[in-house]
Amino acid sequence: MISQKQRQGQFQKQVQTQQQKLSPQQIQYIKMLQMSTQHIEQRIKEEMETNPAIEDIDSGTDVYDTDGGSEYEKIDAADPDIPESDSPAVDDDLDVDWDAFHSDNSEGYSSSTTWNPDAPDWMDIPAPYRETQLEKLEQQVLMLDLTEKEMLIADQILGSIDDDGYFRREISSVADGIAFQHGMPVSTDEVLHVLQLIQRLDPPGIAARNLQECLDIQLSMLRSDTPGLHEAKKIITDHWEEFEKKHFEKIIRRMGITEDAFHDAYDCLRMLDPKPGSFETAAADAGNFITPDFEVYYEPSADDEQQGEFVITLNRRNMPDLIVSKSYEQMIADMARRKEKNKEQKEAQLFLKSKIESAKWFIEMLYQRQQTLLAVMQTIVNIQESFFKSGKNVKPMILKDVADIVSLDVSTISRVVNGKYVQTAFGVYELRYFFNEGITTESGEEVSNLEVKNILAEMIELEPKDQPFSDQKLTDILKEKGFRVARRTVTKYREQLRIPTARLRKSII
């Protein structure tokens, strides 16, 4: 007899399913694989601070290399055999949600390290202090002789300037913010007045609300006898939309000026800075250093240069050589020999045992991480042999190609190569640089899409500036060179190279 609830579809059903979950050790190992050299150094430091059972051997002997250690863990790339650990691998190509542990804030480690007292002195030299743009503007604002209310407005404006030097906040929100925080009524006209004062500070055009206003401010501060100044002001104020779209012929026709006059105006506009705050970002970037995780160099044979071998080194810059504390192991052995133990002694024994097990696991994970990184780097070098010899001819290669060779999951390879760099004889490259899809030429040869992108960028660089090539024209030229590429693919490559469309690349000679 079917009940009323069953007719309505409300009934219980038991279903048995299988779900694969990562153990905490596996999660930590995956995170360690993702870390760069600088981050893993900090991770080791934190582990040594929290686990007294881990010690630095501090004897120059590498805990991973019985023949003696050095700053790098070294292998011969010609040798296909990678030493394996006796412990079970933590990566078993698990079908899991890899993003589940990305939300853990513990993976964001600081890059500062102080491990190796023999490290070069320059590694400990702090970056020179540079006065920030905000500090420079604050000093200039103090010279404007503003009232207390105007200083509050100026403070709000300066704090809202972005990296490009623009003020993109609504005027009314500044007035409302001051009224709410300081209980002082402020009108939008008062905010606009202070904003206009700041916009004429150094650099000119700072705190502009858009590009048009930024250029207009800079034009107003040029000498009156600057060639093309009058026409340049009219272009910005009356023909901005046409100028933005680079419809130069239309501007010349509507303004009723000669091409020479337009050339002068165009040259005047080219002197202006569209991003008056970008120098701050450039200065900050100049102080950032990349620490390569690998070094790869080619050693030619004494008899035949073509019969040489690659040497791959894994950077272990400031990483100490770790061992399990002998004193802790001795304490465990002494406690085990005691026949009678009170509660405190049992708890102490459990504590020591957990710390020793944790230390052994951590050291083993460091070893597995090194072997995995070296195996991946060796595979990349073997596939991209021609590049590491000559600095040219990157072959088509995807993550799966490497994953199949080293018998790891594609997602694991992705985490190994992400954010890691290799020092070569031709410069420092991110490992992601070597992964790209292939394109078949007219002759049937498969080439990297990176090569096609380089050719495309070179073609655009050499194109006529007054008549830039359309995507279809670029496609036709590539076809003449033997590359069978669709127009939509050319468009995709151009966008990946951050090159604008032909209309926006148009310029005047």
Side-chain angles (χ1 to χ4, degrees):
M1 187 73 180
I2 300 176
S3 66
Q4 182 66 24
K5 285 187 177 181
Q6 287 175 323
R7 291 193 189 99
Q8 295 175 353
Q10 299 179 5
F11 56 92
Q12 294 181 341
K13 182 181 179 181
Q14 288 184 339
V15 178
Q16 185 176 8
T17 60
Q18 290 184 341
Q19 184 178 7
Q20 180 72 64
K21 291 186 177 181
L22 286 173
S23 67
Q25 289 84 359
Q26 289 172 321
I27 292 176
Q28 290 299 318
Y29 174 66
I30 293 297
K31 290 183 178 181
M32 289 170 68
L33 275 181
Q34 291 177 271
M35 293 178 189
S36 65
T37 298
Q38 292 174 319
H39 288 171
I40 200 67
E41 289 171 7
Q42 183 64 19
R43 178 69 179 89
I44 292 173
K45 180 179 179 181
E46 292 179 354
E47 189 70 19
M48 293 183 69
E49 290 176 349
T50 57
N51 190 348
I54 296 180
E55 289 184 352
D56 180 1
I57 194 172
D58 196 27
S59 63
T61 302
D62 191 344
V63 73
Y64 305 120
D65 183 3
T66 57
D67 295 332
S70 66
E71 182 181 357
Y72 292 93
E73 183 75 17
K74 184 180 294 186
I75 65 169
D76 182 355
D79 183 5
D81 297 326
I82 298 295
E84 297 182 356
S85 168
D86 295 334
S87 301
V90 296
D91 180 86
D92 296 322
D93 297 350
L94 300 176
D95 185 14
V96 296
D97 181 10
W98 293 101
D99 295 325
F101 51 81
H102 275 206
S103 58
D104 187 351
N105 294 330
S106 63
E107 64 179 320
Y109 296 98
S110 170
S111 60
S112 60
T113 57
T114 55
W115 281 116
N116 190 356
D118 299 323
D121 293 339
W122 63 265
M123 297 171 64
D124 298 323
I125 298 176
Y129 172 75
R130 293 185 179 90
E131 187 179 23
T132 66
Q133 178 173 267
L134 178 60
E135 291 172 331
K136 294 177 181 177
L137 290 173
E138 288 173 342
Q139 293 295 325
Q140 296 179 68
V141 166
L142 293 176
M143 306 296 292
L144 294 178
D145 193 23
L146 302 179
T147 65
E148 180 181 354
K149 180 189 290 188
E150 289 173 334
M151 285 298 296
L152 291 175
I153 296 173
D155 183 64
Q156 288 278 331
I157 293 173
L158 295 181
S160 302
I161 296 176
D162 64 17
D163 291 339
D164 291 333
Y166 284 89
F167 173 75
R168 306 187 190 275
R169 189 177 173 187
E170 293 293 333
I171 297 292
S172 57
S173 69
V174 175
D176 293 341
I178 294 175
F180 178 77
Q181 296 177 17
H182 302 278
M184 185 181 297
V186 176
S187 67
T188 54
D189 289 339
E190 290 175 310
V191 176
L192 185 60
H193 170 68
V194 177
L195 177 63
Q196 291 172 344
L197 293 175
I198 293 176
Q199 288 173 343
R200 301 184 70 84
L201 298 177
D202 184 37
I206 194 73
R209 288 166 288 180
N210 52 59
L211 178 59
Q212 183 180 13
E213 184 178 57
C214 179
L215 300 180
D216 186 51
I217 293 169
Q218 294 180 58
L219 287 173
S220 67
M221 300 179 68
L222 293 178
R223 290 170 54 94
S224 59
D225 58 351
T226 303
L229 178 60
H230 177 71
E231 290 77 10
K233 288 182 177 180
K234 286 183 64 70
I235 291 173
I236 295 300
T237 55
D238 301 335
H239 305 281
W240 174 253
E241 184 175 350
E242 291 87 353
F243 180 75
E244 197 174 25
K245 295 179 179 179
K246 297 201 172 184
H247 292 163
F248 300 143
E249 295 85 357
K250 187 182 294 185
I251 295 175
I252 294 173
R253 187 171 61 253
R254 290 187 176 180
M255 290 182 63
I257 59 177
T258 64
E259 289 190 5
D260 289 340
F262 181 78
H263 272 261
D264 290 340
Y266 187 78
D267 290 339
C268 179
L269 291 169
R270 288 178 62 184
M271 294 189 304
L272 308 180
D273 185 2
K275 295 182 179 180
S278 59
F279 75 93
E280 175 99 337
T281 304
D285 291 342
N288 294 332
F289 298 95
I290 292 176
T291 302
D293 301 270
F294 303 91
E295 181 182 359
V296 176
Y297 59 92
Y298 181 69
E299 288 186 346
S301 172
D303 301 327
D304 186 355
E305 185 173 343
Q306 299 300 321
Q307 298 299 320
E309 61 183 17
F310 288 101
V311 176
I312 302 174
T313 52
L314 174 64
N315 189 353
R316 294 189 60 233
R317 190 184 62 165
N318 293 330
M319 297 185 193
D321 297 323
L322 304 180
I323 59 172
V324 178
S325 172
K326 297 296 183 182
S327 60
Y328 265 60
E329 291 183 336
Q330 185 63 43
M331 291 170 66
I332 283 284
D334 292 343
M335 288 184 176
R337 286 193 293 267
R338 295 178 184 175
K339 295 182 179 180
E340 296 183 2
K341 304 183 185 70
N342 56 32
K343 182 179 179 181
E344 288 76 11
Q345 291 173 334
K346 291 181 179 179
E347 291 177 351
Q349 185 176 6
L350 289 175
F351 172 79
L352 293 175
K353 185 177 181 181
S354 67
K355 289 300 181 181
I356 290 177
E357 291 298 323
S358 177
K360 289 180 178 179
W361 169 84
F362 185 76
I363 294 173
E364 177 60 32
M365 291 306 99
L366 283 178
Y367 173 78
Q368 287 197 19
R369 175 186 180 272
Q370 290 189 185
Q371 299 310 310
T372 301
L373 264 60
L374 287 169
V376 170
M377 189 68 246
Q378 176 184 328
T379 304
I380 293 174
V381 171
N382 290 341
I383 296 175
Q384 303 291 357
E385 180 177 338
S386 60
F387 174 86
F388 287 98
K389 281 185 177 180
S390 64
K392 301 177 182 177
N393 304 324
V394 177
K395 293 183 178 180
M397 182 178 71
I398 59 177
L399 294 172
K400 190 175 185 301
D401 296 335
V402 177
D404 291 342
I405 295 175
V406 298
S407 301
L408 291 175
D409 189 69
V410 172
S411 60
T412 302
I413 303 301
S414 176
R415 282 156 179 78
V416 168
V417 304
N418 189 39
K420 296 191 178 63
Y421 295 81
V422 56
Q423 173 74 58
T424 73
F426 317 101
V428 178
Y429 293 86
E430 188 175 9
L431 295 191
R432 285 279 184 185
Y433 174 81
F434 302 102
F435 291 87
N436 51 86
E437 298 176 352
I439 292 177
T440 305
T441 64
E442 294 287 351
S443 61
E445 180 185 3
E446 190 175 21
V447 299
S448 164
N449 63 5
L450 182 62
E451 183 176 346
V452 178
K453 289 180 183 179
N454 292 336
I455 295 174
L456 182 64
E458 184 178 354
M459 290 163 50
I460 294 175
E461 179 68 24
L462 299 176
E463 69 184 358
K465 301 306 178 184
D466 57 338
Q467 293 292 332
F469 297 144
S470 65
D471 288 349
Q472 184 58 54
K473 178 65 175 177
L474 293 170
T475 304
D476 296 339
I477 297 176
L478 284 172
K479 187 174 182 181
E480 294 174 1
K481 293 179 178 290
F483 298 100
R484 296 182 293 181
V485 184
R487 186 197 60 78
R488 63 178 178 274
T489 304
V490 170
T491 302
K492 180 180 74 173
Y493 289 170
R494 176 179 56 74
E495 292 174 347
Q496 289 175 351
L497 292 169
R498 297 184 179 180
I499 298 175
T501 60
R503 176 176 56 80
L504 296 179
R505 298 200 305 273
K506 187 174 182 181
S507 181
I508 61 175
I509 307 302

